Amino acid sequence: MPEISRRTFGGLLGGGAVTAVAASAAAPAEAAEHPFQARTSASRTGRPNFLVILGDDLGWADLSSYGAPHIRTPHLDRLARQGVRFTDAYSGSATCSPTRFSLYTGRYPGRTAGGLAEPIANRTQGLDPRHPTLASLLKKTGYATALIGKWHCGWLPDYSPTRSGWDEFFGNHGGVLEYFSKLGQLGDHDLYEGDAEYEDLRYYTTVLTERAVEYVGRRHTAPWLLNLNFTTPHWPWLAEGDAETGAEIAARIRAAKSQAEISTALNHYDGGSVAKYTEMVESLDAAVGEVLEALRRSGQEENTVVLFASDNGGERWSYLWPLSGEKFVLQEGGIRVPTIVRWPARIDGRQVSHEPVFTPDWTATLLELAGARPDPAYPLDGTSLAGYLLRGERLAERDLFWRVRANRALRRGDWKYYQDADGDDHLYDLGADLREQADLATDRPELLAELKASWERIAAGLLPYPS
């Protein structure tokens, strides 16, 4: 295999794994095959900063660079052109908090009791503060750590980012909140700075953006990790000009007499539209653009790894074509998510990867790039992509595994084993059938049995769901 430079990743991996992005990056079809050339010189860089940005319920094709015909996301499209756009990237689960568990711990959600909730919905559940996290492991090696935005891994008094390795926290503990009043899914105020309530009645995306801009613009004396977790475009479907509608939703929440009524008010079943959802996604894109511009102004852009992804697939108004399914299920629409990584100092831009990867891989990758080690008592389930990204090393074929109460799934290469809510087993060749419509279970019974057995072996090592 020819030498591949520090800045060139995967161009000679074979199997069409990586392609260069065409000048526009306006749609996946515009990518063209391109053989990368090795480089012989490389400048050294210190340990990178990490800016990890999550959208909330953002569907796989909701960005114009992923094919959305009606949504314009110029800032995220530019980020994709400057780095690597992953076409076969997955979330750790099909809902919010389990995926966040998998990102923070680098492990399957089912390794921990809090990760069994789909999603967390009460104060008794959460991420055990004794469990090592991406933040706590980086902190041990000298990183400054901050989380801005949605935590969704437990409420005070027992759970909080500041109890799990983050030096700073500004955001909401729960899974959803009204964008103006900041009333959350338990019916109370859910905006905090550290462990103290904080009041700001402006549109939440705007508030989080300002905080993130301030953080990246600081005069840092150590490398840093910033988890920036937007709630956009999660319901209730409200844009910046919808304060009046937000006030109506807040009034319903305050008047609610049960958790079900609170959830109904927040879900805003009678609201939303494709146009409103488009407005929200485009506001997310603008917010990311502001943060990236602040990073550029700070002089830290070159040696900052930016990772952008969604916590799970989209729902209701999301553009998911050609995928089947949506949030909550393990069909492709529920777990395949837009994912972009950029590191100007070490990775060339205008690249597309078709390598199957999922959330726990990024935890392992960031730890390796920082020179941090996982806790041997809590082995990771993800595979570091550092060698793949930096040196063009092949990733060994492996199984990507998902388990939720209603579904099960496992991907190996292009093959996917899927069991639906009725307990029926399916087998799909995603290379030929991205939409999961041609069930090959009866044509390839041996392969189906093999993948199912692999799923069972992994599942046997996880905690059982409480009855």
Side-chain angles (χ1 to χ4, degrees):
M1 183 176 181
E3 179 186 0
I4 297 178
S5 78
R6 65 177 179 88
R7 287 176 55 92
T8 300
F9 105 87
L12 301 173
L13 293 179
V18 182
T19 58
V21 179
S24 170
E30 294 184 7
E33 297 294 335
H34 176 78
F36 288 94
Q37 301 297 315
R39 296 182 181 179
T40 56
S41 62
S43 62
R44 294 189 176 275
T45 58
R47 292 192 297 167
N49 307 310
F50 299 119
L51 173 56
V52 182
I53 308 174
L54 286 185
D56 198 354
D57 289 2
L58 183 72
W60 179 72
D62 277 336
L63 307 183
S64 45
S65 51
Y66 278 80
H70 59 293
I71 304 176
R72 296 292 172 260
T73 52
H75 301 288
L76 286 165
D77 299 344
R78 184 181 306 113
L79 184 71
R81 291 196 297 272
Q82 294 169 341
V84 186
R85 181 171 62 83
F86 286 79
T87 64
D88 290 42
Y90 293 89
S91 55
S93 189
T95 53
C96 304
S97 56
T99 292
R100 292 164 201 272
F101 270 75
S102 70
L103 175 62
Y104 301 150
T105 68
R107 311 176 79 208
Y108 299 130
R111 298 281 187 204
T112 59
L116 298 176
E118 297 173 353
I120 284 179
N122 62 63
R123 294 186 188 278
T124 67
Q125 305 163 319
L127 176 57
D128 188 335
R130 296 167 296 182
H131 195 295
T133 63
L134 172 64
S136 67
L137 294 170
L138 289 177
K139 189 173 178 178
K140 284 183 178 180
T141 69
Y143 272 73
T145 57
L147 192 150
I148 296 174
K150 176 175 171 176
W151 163 240
H152 206 186
C153 286
W155 279 269
L156 292 170
D158 297 321
Y159 309 105
S160 169
T162 58
R163 288 159 168 74
S164 289
W166 281 269
D167 300 319
E168 302 177 35
F169 169 57
F170 179 85
N172 59 301
H173 291 98
V176 59
L177 82 170
E178 194 276 306
Y179 281 80
F180 297 93
S181 68
K182 312 304 185 294
L183 292 177
Q185 70 187 88
L186 299 184
D188 53 5
H189 185 81
D190 192 14
L191 177 58
Y192 285 78
E193 184 170 41
D195 290 348
E197 288 190 22
Y198 188 93
E199 184 168 320
D200 191 325
L201 300 180
R202 295 176 299 154
Y203 189 60
Y204 195 36
T205 305
T206 300
V207 176
L208 296 182
T209 303
E210 287 183 2
R211 285 286 177 144
V213 165
E214 186 277 327
Y215 187 86
V216 303
R218 290 182 194 171
R219 195 174 293 274
H220 292 275
T221 59
W224 47 266
L225 162 72
L226 172 58
N227 289 95
L228 175 54
N229 300 342
F230 288 101
T231 57
T232 317
H234 194 293
W235 48 265
W237 290 286
L238 299 170
E240 191 148 19
D242 295 331
E244 185 174 337
T245 303
E248 294 173 359
I249 294 172
R252 294 179 201 166
I253 295 171
R254 293 188 182 98
K257 294 181 172 56
S258 68
Q259 189 61 56
E261 289 182 3
I262 293 171
S263 298
T264 297
L266 272 170
N267 199 295
H268 191 29
Y269 289 105
D270 58 341
S273 64
V274 171
K276 183 59 62 180
Y277 185 81
T278 297
E279 190 176 354
M280 294 181 75
V281 175
E282 292 182 351
S283 76
L284 171 65
D285 178 73
V288 172
E290 286 188 45
V291 177
L292 294 180
E293 173 58 21
L295 182 66
R296 186 196 64 78
R297 291 196 307 267
S298 75
Q300 302 171 94
E301 179 182 69
E302 184 75 6
N303 199 33
T304 297
V305 176
V306 178
L307 170 64
F308 175 87
S310 179
D311 61 345
N312 47 250
E315 64 167 327
R316 198 179 301 192
W317 309 113
S318 184
Y319 182 75
L320 293 169
W321 180 261
L323 308 183
S324 295
E326 58 182 17
K327 179 182 176 180
F328 296 112
V329 300
L330 297 177
Q331 291 173 289
E332 293 293 288
I335 52 176
R336 192 181 285 225
V337 294
T339 300
I340 300 165
V341 64
R342 183 190 76 179
W343 186 9
R346 300 295 303 274
I347 300 172
D348 278 340
R350 299 185 180 276
Q351 301 193 72
V352 174
S353 171
H354 306 300
E355 187 70 33
V357 301
F358 74 151
T359 302
D361 293 339
W362 296 113
T363 315
T365 302
L366 300 188
L367 290 175
E368 181 173 347
L369 293 178
R373 294 184 178 180
D375 187 322
Y378 300 86
L380 303 181
D381 291 311
T383 298
S384 174
L385 307 176
Y388 174 69
L389 289 168
L390 303 182
R391 298 179 295 277
E393 295 174 1
R394 291 179 183 272
L395 286 174
E397 186 173 81
R398 63 204 174 109
D399 294 340
L400 301 187
F401 166 94
W402 298 270
R403 183 191 72 166
V404 300
R405 280 183 178 270
N407 297 154
R408 57 170 66 176
L410 181 140
R411 176 168 174 173
R412 178 184 298 171
D414 281 339
W415 291 102
K416 180 177 177 182
Y417 160 59
Y418 172 68
Q419 186 182 92
D420 62 29
D422 295 325
D424 295 328
D425 293 328
H426 307 272
L427 181 66
Y428 300 110
D429 177 2
L430 296 179
D433 176 28
L434 188 59
R435 192 154 169 75
E436 296 174 289
Q437 297 298 304
D439 186 1
L440 302 177
T442 57
D443 296 340
R444 302 289 299 272
E446 297 85 0
L447 178 58
L448 174 65
E450 183 181 340
L451 297 183
K452 183 174 182 177
S454 180
W455 189 96
E456 297 281 3
R457 284 193 297 272
I458 297 172
L462 305 183
L463 298 175
Y465 284 110
S467 56

